[in-house]
Amino acid sequence: MGDAMGTARGWLESGYEAEELRALWAPWVLHTGLGPESAYSGQMAKIIAFALEQAGAPVVEGGAAKFLDAMRAVIENHGGAIRVDTEVTEILVENGSARGVRTAAGETVMARKAVICSVTPHQLYERLLKHADVPHGVRAEVSGYRYGKGNMQIHYALAEPPNWPNPELAKVALLHLTPGLDGVSKAANEAERGMLPALPTLCVGQPSALDPSRCPEGKAVLSVQLPEAPRVIKGDAAGEIATPADGRWTPGIRERYADRVEAIIAGHIPKFRKTVLGRRAFSPADLEAININLVGGDPYGGYCGLDQFFLWRPLKSSRNHATPVRGLYHIGASTHPGPGLGGGSGYLVAKAIR
């Protein structure tokens, strides 16, 4: 058990002598919502290493929307229906049991067996159950639920595939640009303190390298993820970008920070800027505007530290995915087994109510 609680820094410094190997694995910790010095980050890094060894980093042929099409087909083939652009404003509770939901348009949709919500704890208890009889202790726990670092994304359309100095890099689905373990640690710490990292870790996705159908022949797309972005900006670690008094991301700050990131990319790919056909950046604030569950741009549904994970996710009083309201279940990244693409929480609830 003690080994499982170790940090990624401890694992990398004790297990690898070469700085290059430490730099290879250190950025993957960020994909778990942790930093190199976080408790149990070493174990999570090993799990990711195992997954990469076994399955690599596959992409969906034809674009990520094809995955959604497949999931929709499964649901509809089993008699389900999907509604989009429909906001649920309230969970209907009667005699302590969830009976259905009410939409912003005033429509009532009744449940036959259960109501299942894939939202953050704040969305569930402070909005959807705002008028329901929920124990005071639960509401108190929800008020203390914390969120982690924000995320920023930059998407590029390129006139040609990236001209990496090492041609082998052009064949990789996802690579990281970082000065190494200490660089990841520094940038993560800056973001956690509300600073725009001076030298952020760049997670560079190259989906068209594996799936040429994603763009016109001879062209390429590049997707850059920045997992070390402050939810609220308190300053700029490089001292170059003015900090807004309210700490909010603005389009101007977003584009200036994207320029910093682009300069890093251009330092690795010769003549990169000449190949750029288009760039679109999404700040943490932009991501939250798209999806209210991405609080401050946190893509992991909440801070993933030890006190908010495993048995204690999302609340210390949580029991599996049940809630104080009978027939109401809580799933998603904010719940056990945490964020990811495996759908673990939904699978566990489906088994419980079938």
Side-chain angles (χ1 to χ4, degrees):
M1 183 65 178
D3 288 343
M5 293 297 102
T7 67
R9 176 177 290 279
W11 169 52
L12 294 172
E13 289 185 339
S14 63
Y16 299 95
E17 292 185 1
E19 288 293 339
E20 291 82 0
L21 285 174
R22 295 174 181 174
L24 174 68
W25 291 116
W28 287 102
V29 176
L30 301 174
H31 295 273
T32 69
L34 301 173
E37 282 79 34
S38 300
Y40 83 93
S41 60
Q43 186 69 15
M44 295 301 288
K46 294 175 186 178
I47 291 173
I48 286 187
F50 169 77
L52 289 169
E53 286 280 354
Q54 291 296 307
V59 299
V60 180
E61 185 175 356
K66 296 294 184 181
F67 176 77
L68 299 180
D69 291 340
M71 294 301 295
R72 179 180 63 188
V74 170
I75 292 171
E76 293 178 345
N77 289 342
H78 285 78
I82 297 176
R83 300 190 187 188
V84 297
D85 299 324
T86 301
E87 179 187 1
V88 173
T89 58
E90 182 182 5
I91 296 171
L92 302 176
V93 180
E94 183 181 324
N95 297 324
S97 297
R99 299 301 185 188
V101 300
R102 180 175 289 117
T103 70
E107 181 185 8
T108 296
V109 180
M110 303 307 292
R112 287 186 296 178
K113 183 175 291 188
V115 175
I116 303 171
C117 298
S118 180
V119 296
T120 66
H122 289 102
Q123 287 294 326
L124 178 60
Y125 292 101
E126 295 180 354
R127 189 171 70 91
L128 300 177
L129 289 174
K130 181 178 181 179
H131 302 296
D133 184 16
V134 174
H136 174 75
V138 172
R139 292 198 184 278
E141 283 191 88
V142 171
S143 68
Y145 189 79
R146 311 188 315 285
Y147 295 91
K149 297 184 294 294
N151 192 285
M152 182 168 167
Q153 296 179 7
I154 308 174
H155 300 277
Y156 285 98
L158 304 179
E160 62 184 43
N163 182 31
W164 296 97
N166 183 342
E168 292 300 310
L169 295 179
K171 305 174 185 178
V172 179
L174 177 65
L175 55 87
H176 297 98
L177 299 181
T178 173
L181 172 58
D182 289 341
V184 174
S185 177
K186 180 176 182 292
N189 180 266
E190 288 170 345
E192 288 172 353
R193 290 187 289 113
M195 307 293 286
L196 294 168
L199 189 57
T201 305
L202 275 56
C203 309
V204 183
Q206 304 184 111
S208 55
L210 273 65
D211 179 16
S213 71
R214 294 195 176 204
C215 58
E217 185 176 357
K219 305 296 191 293
V221 292
L222 210 65
S223 178
V224 183
Q225 181 181 175
L226 306 169
E228 304 150 333
R231 298 194 314 277
V232 177
I233 304 173
K234 298 179 180 179
D236 178 20
E240 300 170 345
I241 302 176
T243 305
D246 59 6
R248 295 183 180 181
W249 283 85
T250 65
I253 292 175
R254 177 192 66 206
E255 295 306 316
R256 287 204 63 189
Y257 194 60
D259 289 342
R260 177 179 299 173
V261 172
E262 186 170 304
I264 296 173
I265 299 174
H268 289 270
I269 303 175
K271 301 179 181 180
F272 174 76
R273 287 194 171 100
K274 292 184 178 180
T275 69
V276 175
L277 298 175
R279 181 184 90 180
R280 187 170 183 184
F282 295 86
S283 72
D286 295 327
L287 296 176
E288 183 174 3
I290 295 171
N291 184 339
I292 57 177
N293 289 307
L294 302 177
V295 180
D298 177 2
Y300 300 107
Y303 176 61
C304 294
L306 185 59
D307 63 310
Q308 263 190 195
F309 218 74
F310 301 114
L311 300 176
W312 311 285
R313 193 168 186 87
L315 310 174
K316 304 296 187 298
S317 60
S318 296
R319 296 295 180 271
N320 298 319
H321 299 86
T323 70
V325 178
R326 291 189 299 274
L328 174 63
Y329 296 88
H330 189 191
I331 66 171
S334 298
T335 69
H336 177 75
L341 303 177
S345 58
Y347 172 76
L348 291 171
V349 168
K351 287 184 63 178
I353 66 175
R354 59 182 301 180

